[in-house]
Amino acid sequence: AMLGGGGGEDAADLADQAIAMIEARGARDAPAPFFMYWATGAAHAPHHAPAEWIARFKGKFDAGWDKAREDIFRHQKAMGLMPRDAKLAPLPEGMPRWDSLSADEQRLYARQMEVFAASLAYTDAQFGRILDALAADGELGNTMIVVTSDNGASAEGGPTGLFNESAVTGRAGPTAAENMAFLDRWGGPGTYPHYAYGWAVAGNTPFRYYKQTTHEGGTRVPLVIAWPRGISARGELRDQFAHVSDLAPTLLAATDVKLAETVNTVAQLPMEGQNLVATFASATASGHEGPQYVELYGNKGLWQDSW
């Protein structure tokens, strides 16, 4: 069995549907293997969450995005995710320091991040329900779980955030004062919100910039893989480079599934991705080899040999 997770507006409903699909296989004597791509809306805008979940994060971000970035970076180093001598990337041009903001601005932006955190935590809890269902059915041990996301944290909220994210495709974004009118409703049904871009910078610690750029803040994302029966490693780190195109060949190889040579009589081209199964057992096995190109809006990036 394989389960793919993305980043959720009604994640509870999506989890209900996922659990029902998984358990419907129980009508067979031997439930068939399955592949599920569980892609929620979190952490994409709009950031919505039940009021009681938003309340859990009250005050958690009052220190602001500069302090959050420093704390995250310190934690990353302690976990071994970043080298001890790593340094934070410079801030984007014009991004305000937290202590330069007014009290009202700080209150607004802290609330925006409380709602974002609640949305993500609520979605995590729903994902956990799927894992609990697999465990109850005795299938979790032989389920490969892959968790990743599609891009770095998003700066589409602009300098003040958006009470209605549709503004990103229309007129200039709202002012902080216009957003303040929605403070108490932020994250509820009367809003379609996105946070200010200072939180995107903090969310991409320690990299430069954010979604919609080809800097690592825009293109580098987490990848977590667990498979109790197939991967003996528990909580280990891997620093090999991997590209999203490598996921499919790796999953196929791990589950011994052959790629179809033809689909609807059309001969299939070879996959561009690479099989990285060897990294499951070894921290020194080869990762993605050769150059990897990324491009967005005419901005280009090239990765090769750790650079």
Side-chain angles (χ1 to χ4, degrees):
M2 296 180 288
L3 185 68
E9 270 69 70
D10 203 339
D13 181 55
L14 289 172
D16 290 343
Q17 300 289 341
I19 292 167
M21 290 175 181
I22 291 168
E23 294 185 342
R25 297 155 45 254
R28 305 184 183 201
D29 291 337
F34 71 91
F35 172 84
M36 176 174 286
Y37 177 57
W38 197 71
T40 73
H44 200 288
H47 305 149
H48 286 146
E52 62 271 20
W53 282 78
I54 296 173
R56 295 184 188 193
F57 292 91
K58 186 171 180 58
K60 300 285 189 188
F61 301 98
D62 287 356
W65 47 58
D66 295 323
K67 179 70 162 52
R69 195 168 183 241
E70 293 166 4
D71 290 347
I72 292 166
F73 197 33
R74 187 161 49 248
H75 188 53
Q76 288 173 332
K77 288 186 175 183
M79 293 177 68
L81 292 169
M82 294 294 157
R84 288 283 177 182
D85 60 352
K87 292 180 172 56
L88 281 168
L91 293 173
E93 302 79 4
M95 178 184 145
R97 293 282 185 176
W98 187 258
D99 59 13
S100 73
L101 302 171
S102 71
D104 272 354
E105 287 172 327
Q106 290 182 350
R107 214 155 52 91
L108 171 65
Y109 302 152
R111 166 76 178 193
Q112 292 174 356
M113 189 59 187
E114 290 168 10
V115 169
F116 173 85
S119 176
L120 188 56
Y122 178 72
T123 302
D124 278 345
Q126 310 317 307
F127 184 54
R129 290 175 49 225
I130 302 175
L131 301 187
D132 289 345
L134 286 164
D137 291 343
E139 292 197 84
L140 186 60
N142 196 36
T143 301
M144 183 187 300
I145 297 137
V146 179
V147 181
T148 191
S149 60
D150 60 344
N151 46 249
S154 165
E156 290 164 63
T160 65
L162 300 168
F163 66 83
N164 183 355
E165 202 229 353
S166 66
V168 78
T169 59
R171 64 181 180 86
T175 64
E178 289 171 326
N179 279 324
M180 278 295 289
F182 294 87
L183 181 69
D184 293 336
R185 287 179 281 165
W186 204 275
T191 63
Y192 202 87
H194 199 341
Y195 58 25
Y197 80 147
W199 293 118
V201 174
N204 292 325
T205 303
F207 303 122
R208 292 187 69 187
Y209 295 108
Y210 22 66
K211 175 185 173 181
Q212 296 186 323
T213 72
T214 51
H215 290 279
E216 284 193 293
T219 59
R220 185 163 171 173
V221 297
L223 174 62
V224 181
I225 301 179
W227 182 17
R229 192 179 295 179
I231 300 176
S232 59
R234 296 290 183 275
E236 293 184 13
L237 299 177
R238 297 288 183 265
D239 61 8
Q240 294 96 328
F241 181 81
H243 186 259
V244 66
S245 64
D246 300 328
L247 281 179
T250 300
L251 294 177
L252 290 170
T255 53
D256 196 27
V257 174
K258 303 302 181 202
L259 188 65
E261 293 183 5
T262 61
V263 175
N264 293 336
T265 73
V266 178
Q268 298 298 288
L269 295 170
M271 278 196 168
E272 293 186 5
Q274 301 175 21
N275 169 14
L276 303 185
V277 165
T279 63
F280 291 178
S282 171
T284 58
S286 294
H288 184 104
E289 295 182 328
Q292 178 60 53
Y293 163 83
V294 292
E295 184 272 333
L296 199 70
Y297 301 135
N299 298 307
K300 303 171 184 67
L302 185 75
W303 179 93
Q304 185 167 358
D305 301 331
S306 299
W307 290 89

